[in-house]
Amino acid sequence: MIRPLILSLAALCLAPLGLTQPVAIIGEKVWTGTAQGTLTNGVVVIDDGRIVSVGTGAAPAGMAQVQAKWVTPGLISAFSRTGIAEVPGEKSANDTGAGGSPFSAALNAADGFNPDATPIAVTRLEGFTRIAVAPDARSKLFAGQGFLADTSGLPGSIFKQRAFAFLVLGERGAALSGGSRPASWTALRGAFDDVRFFTARYMTHNDGNVLTRLDAQAFMPAVKGEQLILIEARRASDLEAIMDFKQENPMLKIAIVGADEGWRVADRLAAMNIPVIVDAFSNLPSTFSQLAATSENAARLAEAGVTVAIVNLDDSSHQARLAAQIAGNAVANGLPFDTAMQALTTAPARIFGMEGLGMLAPGARADVVAWDGDPLEITSAPTAVFIDGVSEPMESRQTRLRDRYLSLDESERPLAYRR
Amino acid sequence: MNKLLLSAGLGLCLVLSACGGSGDGKKKSDVPRIFDPFPSTYAAYPSGATLITGATVLDGKGGLIEGGSVLIEGGKIKAIGADLTAPEGATTINAAGKWVTPGIIDNHSHLGAYPSPGVEAHGDGNEISGPVTAEVWVEHSVWPQDPGFTRALAGGITSLQILPGSANLFGGRGVVLKNVPARTVQAMKFPGAPHTLKMACGENPKRVYGYGRGAYPGGAPYSRMGNVAGYRTAWIQARDYKKKWDAFIDGTGDEPARDLELETLAGALSGDILVHMHCYRADEMAIILDLSQEFGYKVASFHHAVEAYKIADKLAEYGTCSSMWADWWGFKMEAYDGIRENIPMVHNAGACAIVHSDSDIGIQRLNQEAAKAWSDGKRAGIDIPIEVAWQWLSLNPAKSLGIDGKTGSLEPGKMADVVVWSANPFSVYAQAEKVYIDGALMYDRNDPAIQPVMDFELGQPGEGDRK
């Protein structure tokens, strides 16, 4: 009901302009994510879904303008369950995992994605334009296939299916494999064998040593090094074991999720060029796999030269948006501001091979966010969000509820009539 | 025959309840059925006089002083103002550019009861064995060596309420602690803080008991109406129990047999034990308000209260608090209508708003949770000064715990529970630099010697947060 003026203005100007009209997005600060660094009084011109120019000086005449304190690329959530669970606590409204399925590695999270899911708009409103979405492991350490999507909430917002295979090792992987780390490594190596001897092994059976026929088929690109493998692991020794495995299988493309003790093996991660996706809030010995967890993990990993993306692992379906707050806290604990911004933009783009995303550069896709302040600051919020050049609605089911209840006056009619 | 020979327990009750903080001026019939066989042994650590100068000071009750000073002496706030002089021998802290606030009080934590590491053997936070377990006291589950206490301290937490979990209709007694590392829980107990009772609405009790036991139906309660019947049945028993003790104390009845469960409930009915109730949905909170009036007790605070914004007017009228997250939502059905403006909207209606954590991660930065809610409120047209919003973090939780006469604001005579922040604590970049509890410096971000490390972490790959 009471909404910032700039929003309604932006919506008014842009709605009729559509994709083909250019827009100048002007920021007192423009964080580009490129060698241009942070521009003061910068101008980003977008047209036809792409960024046309990024520079300083006066905005070109004759086009719509959006003014902001800060302008950044659309943020990228590097690990989430956004859009595959409407209410995680309700089985009927949760497609993150399938403990009762005979299948594992073949489970394609994209089949569960609902662009109408309410967390999509909630996440977009906080500046996230792209999400990497992973299934959860429930029956085996092989969770299935993850995908990449935008947060427009429109049909067709998945832009890459089967973008990565997601596996769970460490304590959780052990539990899913029968009770121990040796069991999970036996299963993982066995699965690799199933894939490598696929034709022979499945000639007469539907089952391999570890994987069903469908699972082995789906896991094949990962084993061949054609698909990214995301592995959840936390303890330093688990990370070492993964790096040993990568050394035995150098063709594999691996990134690690969690890596709470990553700082202890940071040099090797950097040398092996293995990126990590961390929740920088993790600073407690919450399990015996996180004894060395520290709020300086992200800073120490980055210092060693590891590519770091920052996410919220605590509630990844509904609160992926908190990654910006988490990145701000990482800055307070030693991570340089630019690296923290990269952890929400260029780093995830690099990890997932998202071309033309996570940066403001001529020719890049026009995912742009206008902010009312420093994007990592908890009191800041986006005032406009563009995805592929389209000005997105700054409305969610949450803002609708807020607007309904800002006044509790029911003297004329019940609140249910207010929309 | 026993009328004069009170049981040892009750004897203690009559003595200790007077020091329980609310005993004065009571009628005989109001004497609480609470006594504390596990009394606080906490004593403030030694501290000299400290003068903090040149800071932006939030006094905790709505005031802000630029270039302000806070004088701590004898473990208490001695003075607060723009121009204070250090007494002889005082340590002077130049806090120019920094902010000073009352210590943060989290009124919803499970630290110690669900400690780190969260292994099976540490799952002591909820006595799930039955829907009514008012007889359990969470302090008997608190492991003082939980490393989470030290992380919370680094986030400026000076007092906190530990609650039992929310599986049960009546989960048991909570306990209020000073956030001071100690060998025993007794040495953490906030001296004179009233006992509290945890209750729970909604999905959890009916899920755990109704369909959580592998049978169909599992048992009562199975539904929300079963929840309410369960509360009422227990309160009726408690009322009868209380009557028997009242009669005994009046000299008109025999000494009843003690019943731990009913002692707690009777204590809540007499107002000596403060009721803290986990409740998400607006309609359920409204039912509980009526139910509390049926039995004559008061809800001190609704916890989580994700829909408090929908009935903020009714909560204000009744005079209860809501302990809320800034933005948690949607993880279960009763959290589906969570909005970012809940806290400021409750405040704006004149009701008592509290920022709580229910999390060993969230408790480390409640100031940031308040800041998010504050700024989201501002964008929705609810403009609350920071110094007023700080009440969500200290004074209001203190009120909900019955300790606001002792802490929760920087007023002369109150406990010197004080945080010096590196910057405006409503910024993500601010850190709690110094944390004082009863005047003693218990945490210093820039001095490893003043950073506690719990036994569990000693000799491990990470000793504390930032080894």
Side-chain angles (χ1 to χ4, degrees):
Chain A
M1 200 155 79
I2 304 166
R3 304 178 56 210
L5 193 58
I6 186 163
L7 277 190
S8 31
L9 282 180
L12 279 176
C13 301
L14 298 173
L17 300 177
L19 263 176
T20 53
Q21 300 278 342
V23 182
I25 306 158
I26 303 160
E28 291 174 19
K29 302 265 186 196
V30 176
W31 189 88
T32 63
T34 70
Q36 278 188 290
T38 302
L39 307 175
T40 303
N41 297 320
V43 182
V44 179
V45 176
I46 62 173
D47 191 13
D48 203 17
R50 295 274 164 180
I51 293 171
V52 176
S53 65
V54 181
T56 52
M63 63 178 71
Q65 292 190 353
V66 172
Q67 305 271 355
K69 293 272 188 199
W70 278 72
V71 176
T72 70
L75 305 184
I76 301 171
S77 168
F79 187 88
S80 81
R81 307 259 155 56
T82 309
I84 58 172
E86 181 65 31
V87 181
E90 291 292 334
K91 285 186 216 112
S92 61
N94 184 342
D95 285 303
T96 56
S101 168
F103 305 110
S104 55
L107 298 174
N108 183 4
D111 291 334
F113 182 64
N114 175 16
D116 289 331
T118 55
I120 300 275
V122 166
T123 304
R124 181 181 69 232
L125 255 60
E126 309 268 356
F128 289 83
T129 60
R130 307 280 161 168
I131 46 178
V133 180
D136 197 10
R138 295 281 167 76
S139 59
K140 286 188 174 153
L141 69 89
F142 310 93
Q145 306 283 315
F147 64 91
L148 310 177
D150 66 49
T151 57
S152 65
L154 299 173
S157 50
I158 292 180
F159 61 97
K160 190 172 183 189
Q161 287 209 25
R162 302 179 185 281
F164 58 92
F166 179 49
L167 316 181
V168 176
L169 290 174
E171 279 183 22
R172 228 159 58 85
L176 288 162
S177 306
S180 70
R181 283 174 169 83
S184 57
W185 277 103
T186 303
L188 183 56
R189 291 175 194 282
F192 268 67
D193 278 354
D194 281 346
V195 170
R196 282 176 181 144
F197 303 108
F198 181 77
T199 316
R201 195 157 285 183
Y202 294 90
M203 201 169 284
T204 53
H205 303 287
N206 265 327
D207 289 323
N209 283 334
V210 177
L211 299 177
T212 68
R213 175 192 300 273
L214 293 180
D215 292 320
Q217 243 168 346
F219 199 41
M220 197 170 289
V223 172
K224 287 182 175 167
E226 294 162 1
Q227 185 194 39
L228 174 68
I229 306 179
L230 270 193
I231 305 179
E232 177 190 305
R234 298 177 183 276
R235 199 169 78 183
S237 70
D238 292 327
L239 306 182
E240 295 276 21
I242 291 166
M243 289 189 279
D244 291 347
F245 189 67
K246 158 93 175 159
Q247 256 166 352
E248 293 162 24
N249 303 275
M251 83 296 284
L252 296 182
K253 284 168 58 184
I254 289 177
I256 292 171
V257 181
D260 306 57
E261 295 192 345
W263 64 274
R264 299 180 67 211
V265 296
D267 289 339
R268 192 177 175 201
L269 286 167
M272 293 186 70
N273 203 19
I274 296 178
V276 295
I277 299 171
V278 302
D279 180 340
F281 274 170
S282 171
N283 70 342
L284 278 165
S286 305
T287 65
F288 275 98
S289 299
Q290 295 158 280
L291 295 181
T294 164
S295 46
E296 293 181 354
N297 191 32
R300 294 177 190 177
L301 283 161
E303 171 76 22
V306 180
T307 298
V308 178
I310 290 178
V311 295
N312 175 24
L313 293 178
D314 209 34
D315 175 358
S316 51
S317 64
H318 285 53
Q319 295 284 63
R321 58 182 177 170
L322 296 189
Q325 181 190 1
I326 296 173
N329 278 270
V331 173
N333 286 286
L335 188 69
F337 176 85
D338 279 334
T339 317
M341 283 300 298
Q342 287 161 7
L344 301 171
T345 53
T346 53
R350 196 157 112 205
I351 292 169
F352 295 104
M354 298 178 177
E355 299 269 326
L357 288 165
M359 66 175 86
L360 301 177
R365 298 168 78 157
D367 279 23
V368 186
V369 182
W371 301 79
D372 63 8
D374 171 353
L376 301 186
E377 186 55 270
I378 36 179
T379 49
S380 302
T383 53
V385 174
F386 295 84
I387 297 177
D388 281 330
V390 177
S391 174
E392 298 293 329
M394 296 302 284
E395 207 169 63
S396 69
R397 188 169 170 276
Q398 293 192 340
T399 65
R400 298 292 302 275
L401 279 163
R402 173 197 67 198
D403 293 346
R404 167 171 285 183
Y405 283 93
L406 268 173
S407 156
L408 297 174
D409 180 7
E410 284 187 307
S411 52
E412 298 291 327
R413 278 183 204 283
L415 295 180
Y417 293 85
R418 192 182 291 166
R419 9 188 198 133
Chain B
M1 76 178 204
N2 282 335
K3 273 186 192 171
L4 296 175
L5 285 172
L6 295 176
S7 71
L10 266 190
L12 199 54
C13 155
L14 295 171
V15 176
L16 278 185
S17 62
C19 29
S22 47
D24 41 341
K26 278 192 174 296
K27 298 197 303 277
K28 215 175 172 189
S29 59
D30 282 336
V31 169
R33 279 78 190 157
I34 59 161
F35 59 94
D36 194 351
F38 318 96
S40 170
T41 59
Y42 169 78
Y45 281 84
S47 64
T50 305
L51 180 68
I52 305 166
T53 63
T56 302
V57 178
L58 305 184
D59 67 11
K61 36 171 208 170
L64 179 149
I65 308 167
E66 298 281 6
S69 299
V70 177
L71 177 60
I72 300 171
E73 223 177 82
K76 308 278 186 210
I77 304 292
K78 176 83 175 171
I80 163 173
D83 225 351
L84 301 180
T85 331
E88 202 167 324
T91 309
T92 300
I93 312 277
N94 178 2
K98 303 181 193 299
W99 288 53
V100 175
T101 70
I104 298 176
I105 299 171
D106 185 2
N107 83 351
H108 194 121
S109 171
H110 300 293
L111 287 179
Y114 283 123
S116 299
V119 290
E120 278 178 33
H122 280 173
D124 290 316
N126 211 162
E127 182 57 41
I128 301 180
S129 53
V132 182
T133 60
E135 70 275 17
V136 304
W137 296 25
V138 77
E139 63 194 75
H140 301 144
S141 279
V142 170
W143 183 44
Q145 296 294 344
D146 183 356
F149 287 117
T150 66
R151 306 300 195 276
L153 182 64
I157 300 286
T158 52
S159 298
L160 66 171
Q161 173 175 230
I162 311 301
L163 286 166
S166 52
N168 335 71
L169 300 174
F170 296 88
R173 291 200 199 189
V175 66
V176 182
L177 304 177
K178 284 280 201 178
N179 192 17
V180 206
R183 288 176 294 158
T184 66
V185 72
Q186 292 93 323
M188 301 177 78
K189 284 176 76 171
F190 194 113
H195 285 203
T196 61
L197 166 65
K198 171 73 177 290
M199 293 179 65
C201 293
E203 291 180 23
N204 287 9
K206 73 192 191 97
R207 172 173 52 80
V208 171
Y209 302 102
Y211 26 101
R213 288 178 172 170
Y216 177 82
Y222 191 83
S223 63
R224 282 183 162 83
M225 57 187 168
N227 287 352
V228 175
Y231 311 132
R232 297 177 81 198
T233 303
W235 286 128
I236 289 166
Q237 288 171 1
R239 193 161 57 184
D240 290 346
Y241 181 78
K242 181 173 174 292
K243 266 186 207 155
K244 284 182 195 158
W245 278 101
D246 287 345
F248 169 61
I249 289 159
D250 284 347
T252 56
D254 292 334
E255 181 182 2
R258 280 185 67 192
D259 181 310
L260 280 177
E261 178 187 306
L262 295 175
E263 265 177 27
T264 296
L265 298 182
L269 289 181
S270 66
D272 293 287
I273 295 181
L274 306 179
V275 177
H276 286 260
M277 188 154 196
H278 159 120
C279 218
Y280 283 72
R281 251 169 46 181
D283 54 315
E284 286 188 275
M285 288 188 264
I287 286 171
I288 297 302
L289 293 181
D290 278 354
L291 187 145
S292 73
Q293 274 154 1
E294 180 187 1
F295 292 96
Y297 71 94
K298 176 124 186 187
V299 179
S301 190
F302 284 116
H303 287 243
H304 312 331
V306 160
E307 292 189 1
Y309 68 95
K310 296 187 183 180
I311 50 158
D313 50 351
K314 297 182 192 304
L315 296 168
E317 192 190 345
Y318 176 95
T320 189
C321 295
S322 301
S323 306
M324 298 164 280
W325 298 294
D327 52 18
W328 289 20
W329 76 288
F331 45 92
K332 56 174 162 173
M333 206 54 220
E334 60 194 3
Y336 194 55
D337 286 3
I339 63 170
R340 296 174 303 182
E341 296 82 1
N342 194 25
I343 293 167
M345 283 167 73
V346 168
H347 174 101
N348 203 38
C352 163
I354 291 170
V355 182
H356 78 339
S357 81
D358 191 19
S359 156
D360 55 9
I361 294 292
I363 195 173
Q364 300 182 40
R365 51 190 68 80
L366 282 182
N367 54 308
Q368 293 182 17
E369 298 309 295
K372 285 190 287 185
W374 170 80
S375 67
D376 287 325
K378 196 148 93 168
R379 274 185 286 270
I382 303 171
D383 206 348
I384 303 164
I386 286 185
E387 57 271 28
V388 174
W390 195 272
Q391 293 173 106
W392 308 339
L393 294 164
S394 300
L395 193 56
N396 288 353
K399 278 181 191 161
S400 80
L401 300 173
I403 54 174
D404 53 309
K406 302 186 168 96
T407 186
S409 60
L410 304 180
E411 293 177 83
K414 279 194 170 180
M415 293 167 163
D417 297 339
V418 181
V419 183
V420 180
W421 301 88
S422 61
N424 180 343
F426 276 17
S427 163
V428 77
Y429 306 117
Q431 299 277 9
E433 277 189 356
K434 289 183 164 55
V435 182
Y436 297 87
I437 297 181
D438 285 303
L441 182 62
M442 300 309 287
Y443 175 81
D444 187 332
R445 186 171 167 86
N446 300 311
D447 184 354
I450 321 251
Q451 297 171 5
V453 172
M454 295 307 198
D455 290 355
F456 176 74
E457 293 192 282
L458 211 56
Q460 302 278 19
E463 278 187 9
D465 184 0
R466 293 183 296 136
K467 183 190 172 186

